Coordinates of all heavy atoms in Angstrom, one line a residue:
S9 N -3.8 57.4 2.9 CA -3.0 58.4 3.7 C -2.6 59.6 2.9 O -1.8 60.4 3.3 CB -1.7 57.7 4.1 OG -1.0 57.1 3.0
F10 N -3.3 59.8 1.7 CA -2.9 60.9 0.8 C -3.4 62.2 1.4 O -4.4 62.3 2.0 CB -3.6 60.6 -0.5 CG -3.5 61.8 -1.5 CD1 -2.3 62.1 -2.1 CD2 -4.7 62.5 -1.8 CE1 -2.2 63.1 -3.0 CE2 -4.6 63.6 -2.7 CZ -3.4 63.9 -3.3
N11 N -2.5 63.2 1.2 CA -2.9 64.5 1.7 C -2.1 65.6 1.0 O -1.1 65.4 0.4 CB -2.6 64.7 3.2 CG -3.6 65.5 4.0 OD1 -4.1 66.5 3.5 ND2 -3.9 65.1 5.2
S12 N -2.7 66.8 1.0 CA -2.0 68.0 0.4 C -1.0 68.5 1.4 O -1.2 68.6 2.6 CB -3.0 69.1 0.1 OG -2.4 70.3 -0.3
V13 N 0.2 69.0 0.8 CA 1.2 69.6 1.7 C 1.3 71.1 1.4 O 1.3 71.9 2.3 CB 2.6 68.9 1.4 CG1 3.7 69.7 2.1 CG2 2.6 67.5 1.8
S14 N 1.3 71.5 0.1 CA 1.6 72.8 -0.3 C 1.0 73.1 -1.7 O 0.9 72.2 -2.5 CB 3.1 73.1 -0.3 OG 3.3 74.4 -0.9
L15 N 0.5 74.3 -1.9 CA 0.0 74.7 -3.2 C 1.1 75.4 -4.0 O 1.1 75.4 -5.2 CB -1.2 75.7 -3.1 CG -2.5 75.0 -2.5 CD1 -3.6 76.1 -2.4 CD2 -3.0 73.8 -3.3
N16 N 2.0 76.1 -3.3 CA 3.1 76.8 -4.0 C 4.4 76.6 -3.2 O 4.6 77.3 -2.2 CB 2.8 78.3 -4.1 CG 3.8 79.0 -5.0 OD1 4.5 78.4 -5.8 ND2 3.8 80.3 -4.9
P17 N 5.2 75.6 -3.6 CA 5.1 74.8 -4.8 C 4.0 73.7 -4.6 O 3.8 73.4 -3.4 CB 6.5 74.2 -5.0 CG 7.0 74.1 -3.6 CD 6.5 75.4 -2.9
P18 N 3.4 73.1 -5.6 CA 2.4 72.1 -5.5 C 3.0 70.8 -5.0 O 3.8 70.1 -5.7 CB 1.8 72.0 -6.9 CG 2.9 72.4 -7.8 CD 3.7 73.5 -7.0
M19 N 2.7 70.4 -3.8 CA 3.2 69.2 -3.2 C 2.2 68.4 -2.4 O 1.3 69.0 -1.8 CB 4.4 69.5 -2.2 CG 5.5 70.3 -2.9 SD 6.9 70.8 -1.8 CE 7.7 69.2 -1.6
V20 N 2.3 67.1 -2.5 CA 1.4 66.2 -1.8 C 2.2 65.1 -1.1 O 3.4 64.9 -1.3 CB 0.4 65.5 -2.8 CG1 -0.5 66.5 -3.4 CG2 1.1 64.6 -3.8
L21 N 1.6 64.4 -0.1 CA 2.3 63.3 0.5 C 1.3 62.1 0.7 O 0.1 62.2 0.6 CB 2.8 63.7 1.9 CG 1.9 64.1 3.0 CD1 1.2 62.9 3.7 CD2 2.6 64.9 4.1
W22 N 1.9 60.9 0.9 CA 1.2 59.7 1.3 C 2.2 58.8 2.0 O 3.4 59.1 2.0 CB 0.6 59.0 0.0 CG 1.7 58.5 -0.9 CD1 2.5 59.2 -1.7 CD2 2.0 57.1 -1.1 NE1 3.3 58.3 -2.4 CE2 3.1 57.0 -2.0 CE3 1.6 55.9 -0.5 CZ2 3.6 55.8 -2.4 CZ3 2.1 54.7 -0.9 CH2 3.2 54.7 -1.9
S23 N 1.7 57.8 2.7 CA 2.6 56.9 3.4 C 2.4 55.5 3.1 O 1.3 55.1 2.7 CB 2.5 57.2 4.9 OG 1.2 56.8 5.4
L24 N 3.4 54.7 3.3 CA 3.4 53.3 3.0 C 4.0 52.5 4.1 O 5.1 52.8 4.6 CB 4.1 53.0 1.7 CG 4.2 51.6 1.1 CD1 2.8 51.0 0.9 CD2 5.0 51.5 -0.2
A25 N 3.4 51.4 4.5 CA 3.9 50.6 5.6 C 5.2 49.9 5.2 O 5.4 49.6 4.1 CB 2.9 49.5 5.9
R26 N 6.1 49.8 6.2 CA 7.4 49.2 6.0 C 7.4 47.8 5.5 O 8.3 47.3 4.8 CB 8.3 49.3 7.2 CG 8.7 50.7 7.6 CD 9.6 50.7 8.8 NE 10.1 52.0 9.1 CZ 11.1 52.6 8.5 NH1 11.8 51.9 7.5 NH2 11.6 53.8 8.8
D27 N 6.3 47.1 5.9 CA 6.2 45.7 5.5 C 5.5 45.5 4.2 O 5.2 44.3 3.8 CB 5.5 44.8 6.6 CG 4.1 45.2 6.9 OD1 3.6 46.2 6.3 OD2 3.4 44.6 7.7
S28 N 5.2 46.5 3.5 CA 4.5 46.4 2.2 C 5.4 45.8 1.1 O 6.6 46.1 1.0 CB 4.0 47.8 1.7 OG 3.6 47.8 0.4
L29 N 4.8 45.0 0.3 CA 5.6 44.3 -0.8 C 6.1 45.4 -1.8 O 7.0 45.1 -2.5 CB 4.7 43.3 -1.5 CG 4.3 42.1 -0.6 CD1 3.4 41.1 -1.4 CD2 5.5 41.3 -0.1
G30 N 5.4 46.5 -1.9 CA 5.7 47.5 -2.9 C 6.7 48.5 -2.4 O 7.1 49.5 -3.2
L31 N 7.2 48.4 -1.1 CA 8.0 49.5 -0.6 C 9.3 49.7 -1.4 O 9.7 50.8 -1.7 CB 8.4 49.2 0.9 CG 9.2 50.2 1.6 CD1 8.5 51.6 1.6 CD2 9.6 49.7 3.0
T32 N 10.0 48.6 -1.7 CA 11.2 48.7 -2.5 C 11.1 49.5 -3.8 O 11.9 50.3 -4.2 CB 11.8 47.3 -2.7 OG1 12.1 46.7 -1.5 CG2 13.1 47.4 -3.5
A33 N 10.0 49.1 -4.5 CA 9.7 49.8 -5.8 C 9.5 51.3 -5.6 O 10.1 52.1 -6.4 CB 8.5 49.2 -6.4
F34 N 8.8 51.7 -4.6 CA 8.5 53.1 -4.4 C 9.8 53.8 -3.9 O 10.0 55.0 -4.1 CB 7.3 53.4 -3.5 CG 6.0 53.2 -4.2 CD1 5.3 52.0 -4.0 CD2 5.5 54.2 -5.0 CE1 4.1 51.8 -4.7 CE2 4.3 54.0 -5.6 CZ 3.6 52.8 -5.5
M35 N 10.6 53.1 -3.1 CA 11.9 53.7 -2.7 C 12.8 53.9 -3.8 O 13.6 54.9 -3.8 CB 12.5 52.8 -1.6 CG 11.7 52.7 -0.3 SD 11.7 54.3 0.6 CE 13.4 54.3 1.2
D36 N 12.8 53.0 -4.8 CA 13.7 53.1 -5.9 C 13.2 54.0 -7.1 O 14.0 54.5 -7.9 CB 14.0 51.7 -6.5 CG 14.7 50.8 -5.5 OD1 15.3 51.3 -4.6 OD2 14.7 49.6 -5.7
S37 N 11.9 54.2 -7.2 CA 11.4 55.0 -8.3 C 11.5 56.5 -8.1 O 11.6 57.0 -6.9 CB 9.9 54.6 -8.5 OG 9.1 55.0 -7.4
T38 N 11.5 57.2 -9.1 CA 11.6 58.7 -9.1 C 10.3 59.4 -9.2 O 10.2 60.6 -8.9 CB 12.5 59.2 -10.2 OG1 12.0 58.8 -11.4 CG2 13.9 58.6 -10.0
H39 N 9.2 58.7 -9.6 CA 7.9 59.3 -9.8 C 6.8 58.4 -9.3 O 7.0 57.1 -9.2 CB 7.7 59.6 -11.3 CG 8.6 60.6 -11.9 ND1 9.9 60.3 -12.2 CD2 8.4 61.9 -12.2 CE1 10.5 61.4 -12.7 NE2 9.6 62.4 -12.7
F40 N 5.7 58.9 -9.0 CA 4.5 58.1 -8.7 C 3.2 58.9 -9.1 O 3.3 60.1 -9.3 CB 4.4 57.8 -7.2 CG 4.4 59.0 -6.3 CD1 3.1 59.6 -6.0 CD2 5.5 59.4 -5.6 CE1 3.1 60.7 -5.1 CE2 5.4 60.5 -4.8 CZ 4.2 61.1 -4.5
A41 N 2.1 58.2 -9.2 CA 0.9 58.8 -9.6 C -0.2 58.4 -8.5 O -0.3 57.3 -8.1 CB 0.4 58.3 -11.0
V42 N -0.9 59.4 -8.1 CA -2.0 59.2 -7.1 C -3.3 59.3 -7.8 O -3.6 60.3 -8.5 CB -1.9 60.2 -6.0 CG1 -3.0 60.0 -4.9 CG2 -0.5 60.2 -5.3
H43 N -4.1 58.3 -7.6 CA -5.5 58.3 -8.2 C -6.5 58.4 -7.1 O -6.6 57.4 -6.3 CB -5.7 56.9 -9.0 CG -4.7 56.7 -10.0 ND1 -3.4 56.2 -9.7 CD2 -4.7 56.8 -11.4 CE1 -2.7 56.1 -10.8 NE2 -3.5 56.4 -11.9
V44 N -7.3 59.4 -7.1 CA -8.4 59.6 -6.1 C -9.6 58.8 -6.7 O -10.1 59.2 -7.8 CB -8.7 61.1 -5.9 CG1 -9.9 61.2 -4.9 CG2 -7.5 61.8 -5.3
L45 N -10.0 57.7 -6.1 CA -11.0 56.9 -6.7 C -12.4 57.5 -6.7 O -12.8 58.2 -5.7 CB -11.0 55.5 -6.0 CG -9.7 54.7 -6.1 CD1 -9.9 53.3 -5.5 CD2 -9.2 54.6 -7.5
A46 N -13.1 57.2 -7.7 CA -14.5 57.6 -7.8 C -15.4 56.5 -7.0 O -14.9 55.4 -6.8 CB -15.0 57.7 -9.2
S47 N -16.6 56.9 -6.7 CA -17.4 56.0 -5.9 C -17.7 54.7 -6.5 O -17.9 53.7 -5.8 CB -18.8 56.7 -5.6 OG -19.5 57.0 -6.8
A48 N -17.7 54.6 -7.8 CA -17.9 53.3 -8.5 C -16.7 52.4 -8.6 O -16.8 51.3 -9.1 CB -18.5 53.6 -9.9
Q49 N -15.6 52.9 -8.0 CA -14.3 52.1 -8.2 C -14.0 51.3 -6.9 O -12.8 51.0 -6.7 CB -13.2 53.1 -8.6 CG -13.4 53.7 -9.9 CD -12.2 54.6 -10.3 OE1 -11.9 55.6 -9.6 NE2 -11.6 54.3 -11.5
E50 N -15.0 51.0 -6.1 CA -14.7 50.2 -4.9 C -14.0 48.8 -5.3 O -13.1 48.4 -4.6 CB -16.0 50.0 -4.2 CG -15.9 49.2 -2.9 CD -17.2 49.1 -2.2 OE1 -18.0 50.0 -2.2 OE2 -17.4 48.0 -1.5
P51 N -14.5 48.1 -6.3 CA -13.8 46.9 -6.7 C -12.3 47.1 -7.0 O -11.5 46.2 -6.7 CB -14.6 46.4 -7.9 CG -15.9 47.0 -7.8 CD -15.7 48.4 -7.2
L52 N -12.0 48.2 -7.6 CA -10.6 48.5 -8.0 C -9.8 48.7 -6.7 O -8.6 48.3 -6.6 CB -10.5 49.7 -8.9 CG -9.3 49.9 -9.8 CD1 -9.2 48.7 -10.7 CD2 -9.4 51.2 -10.6
S53 N -10.4 49.4 -5.7 CA -9.7 49.6 -4.4 C -9.4 48.2 -3.8 O -8.3 48.0 -3.2 CB -10.6 50.4 -3.5 OG -10.1 50.5 -2.2
A54 N -10.4 47.3 -3.8 CA -10.2 46.0 -3.2 C -9.1 45.2 -3.9 O -8.3 44.6 -3.3 CB -11.5 45.2 -3.2
R55 N -9.1 45.4 -5.3 CA -8.1 44.6 -6.0 C -6.7 45.1 -5.7 O -5.8 44.3 -5.4 CB -8.3 44.9 -7.5 CG -7.2 44.2 -8.4 CD -7.2 44.7 -9.8 NE -8.2 44.2 -10.6 CZ -8.1 44.0 -11.9 NH1 -7.0 44.2 -12.6 NH2 -9.2 43.6 -12.6
F56 N -6.5 46.4 -5.6 CA -5.1 47.0 -5.3 C -4.8 47.0 -3.8 O -3.7 47.2 -3.5 CB -5.0 48.4 -5.9 CG -4.7 48.4 -7.4 CD1 -5.7 48.3 -8.3 CD2 -3.4 48.6 -7.8 CE1 -5.5 48.3 -9.7 CE2 -3.1 48.6 -9.2 CZ -4.2 48.5 -10.1

């Protein structure tokens, strides 16, 4: 669900389902990192 919002200021967005086990952590944290996966990282996508 990752997408660009603005270049100036530089902003992006993504969305997370309410029933996700990780929702509380992302609600409580102040930072996050988005990794755009390379074509060889399909196994990593399945893992996460």
Side-chain angles (χ1 to χ4, degrees):
S9 55
F10 173 69
N11 216 323
S12 170
V13 175
S14 169
L15 294 178
N16 188 20
M19 301 178 74
V20 297
L21 67 76
W22 67 288
S23 63
L24 180 59
R26 289 183 174 278
D27 62 355
S28 171
L29 296 177
L31 180 62
T32 299
F34 282 100
M35 292 294 287
D36 293 342
S37 64
T38 58
H39 295 76
F40 61 83
V42 179
H43 305 75
V44 179
L45 297 187
S47 60
Q49 293 180 304
E50 184 179 326
L52 206 59
S53 171
R55 177 197 284 212
F56 279 82

